[in-house]
Amino acid sequence: MWDAIANHIEDATGEPFEIRLKQPVGGGCINDAYRVDSRDRVLFVKLNQAAGLDMFEAETDGLQELAATQSIRVPSPICCGTAGGQAYLVMEFINLGDGGSQVQLGKRLAKLHAVAQPTFGWHRDNTIGATHQPNPISDDWVDFLREHRLGFQFRLANQNGMAFNGSDELLRQLDAFFDGYQPSPSLLQGDLWSGNVAFDENGDPVIYDPATYRGDREAEFGLTEMFGGFGTDFWAGYESVLPLEDGYGTRKLLYRLYHTLNHFNLFGSGYAGSAQSLVDQLLRLA
Ligand code: ADP
């Protein structure tokens, strides 16, 4: 398998790549990851079962599209494919650390979100964690959120044996949360939490492992809000470029609910109570 990966790297880059050293990299949730050194290059390789190729292709597209906005650093993808029954994704290796400015991170993410995008959705579906994430093109964010984000996760929860009280009512009432706020489509990292954000050797922010799509920029923070959110420095940076709009404090609960439901669907009943509390809270606020 590693010979096939090295050959693919040579084809993709037009330069020789003989693997001298392979070191496992920890910290991922889904895939096995390696730092792979040749004589003069260092690359990052993720491995999964062969069926994971589609996920790696979506990640490649996401990294390329995020890079094209020239707003925040992402690793450059090099190639992906299957070999020896495994799927692989090869990308630039970045020396990641946590030494960097949260203000800069906020500014860069706001710059990403400020790049005008044509529609909601994306050109392909992808995954959020290991869960399918549908991204049909849509002009109506509230319909998209109702059908392809919250509705999709509620239906999955049903298949997993859980009916959340008030879920249908909440979906019916979604428009109420968008009174006076009309989201524009922004390109999103889509799976933004502290584990998918770091700083490079120059202290510049880097995002990776995306679940990219075009959505309301507020949806970017659903997962971070679930884990306690960003700090004041981050928000000072973000809002210096792109201020938040009235009602974010309530809508962020909708976006947190999406990721909480996904955690329920991925990891089970430990997340049922917090998902139900969010539904109850949102119905009181609607
Ligand atoms: P997974 O898809 O399994 O969640 P990640 O993409 O999050 O894996 O990568 C796992 C870890 O590897 C990350 O937490 C990060 O520390 C590191 N990492 C990710 N991308 C790179 C990269 N391009 N260069 C160097 N290290 C990386």
Side-chain angles (χ1 to χ4, degrees):
M1 178 195 69
W2 285 104
D3 285 347
I5 294 175
N7 286 338
H8 198 170
I9 294 169
E10 291 187 358
D11 286 348
T13 60
E15 286 168 25
F17 192 88
E18 191 192 325
I19 297 175
R20 294 258 171 113
L21 192 65
K22 280 191 305 279
Q23 293 166 276
V25 177
C29 299
I30 310 263
N31 305 292
D32 291 331
Y34 293 86
R35 172 192 162 129
V36 179
D37 291 52
S38 74
R39 193 173 47 81
D40 54 3
R41 285 189 84 178
V42 186
L43 297 176
F44 182 74
V45 179
K46 298 216 272 195
L47 298 178
N48 204 319
Q49 295 163 350
L53 179 60
D54 197 52
M55 184 177 69
F56 286 156
E57 287 173 345
E59 183 167 344
T60 302
D61 285 3
L63 291 171
Q64 280 168 344
E65 209 165 315
L66 289 163
T69 65
Q70 301 193 319
S71 50
I72 183 164
R73 185 170 184 194
V74 295
S76 301
I78 290 169
C79 59
C80 64
T82 53
Q86 298 235 269
Y88 58 85
L89 167 59
V90 182
M91 66 184 88
E92 165 192 20
F93 183 91
I94 302 178
N95 271 314
L96 298 172
D98 51 14
S101 150
Q102 291 289 319
V103 175
Q104 274 306 321
L105 174 62
K107 282 187 179 175
R108 294 292 173 87
L109 273 172
K111 283 185 179 155
L112 168 67
H113 293 166
V115 176
Q117 301 288 341
T119 47
F120 299 107
W122 207 33
H123 67 281
R124 61 175 299 156
D125 292 355
N126 52 10
T127 44
I128 179 70
T131 308
H132 182 73
Q133 180 166 260
N135 298 317
I137 298 294
S138 171
D139 289 325
D140 186 321
W141 171 251
V142 182
D143 278 356
F144 182 92
L145 178 64
R146 181 184 290 116
E147 188 54 30
H148 305 299
R149 289 293 179 267
L150 295 177
F152 182 85
Q153 291 283 349
F154 279 135
R155 289 192 292 278
L156 211 53
N158 262 305
Q159 288 163 24
N160 290 329
M162 182 71 191
F164 289 100
N165 289 326
S167 57
D168 288 346
E169 183 59 21
L170 179 63
L171 295 181
R172 271 195 295 275
Q173 301 219 13
L174 272 194
D175 291 288
F177 297 93
F178 293 84
D179 250 6
Y181 171 62
Q182 237 192 352
S184 323
S186 294
L187 193 66
L188 306 182
Q189 194 277 354
D191 191 10
L192 192 72
W193 66 293
S194 58
N196 287 342
V197 173
F199 298 89
D200 67 13
E201 51 273 61
N202 301 318
D204 285 329
V206 184
I207 53 174
Y208 45 88
D209 201 16
T212 313
Y213 66 100
R214 300 193 182 95
D216 177 7
R217 64 192 172 97
E218 294 179 346
E220 187 79 287
F221 305 111
L223 188 61
T224 1
E225 290 287 354
M226 190 180 151
F227 293 124
F230 285 111
T232 47
D233 284 353
F234 171 85
W235 286 112
Y238 188 87
E239 293 210 83
S240 72
V241 177
L242 209 55
L244 290 170
E245 305 240 2
D246 284 352
Y248 171 71
T250 304
R251 286 186 299 273
K252 72 181 186 184
L253 302 176
L254 289 172
Y255 300 130
R256 188 166 134 192
L257 176 61
Y258 173 62
H259 290 281
T260 308
L261 289 170
N262 188 42
H263 273 66
F264 169 78
N265 285 318
L266 284 172
F267 307 118
S269 57
Y271 290 92
S274 42
Q276 185 63 63
S277 302
L278 280 168
V279 173
D280 296 344
Q281 194 182 354
L282 282 158
L283 280 173
R284 284 194 300 273
L285 292 164

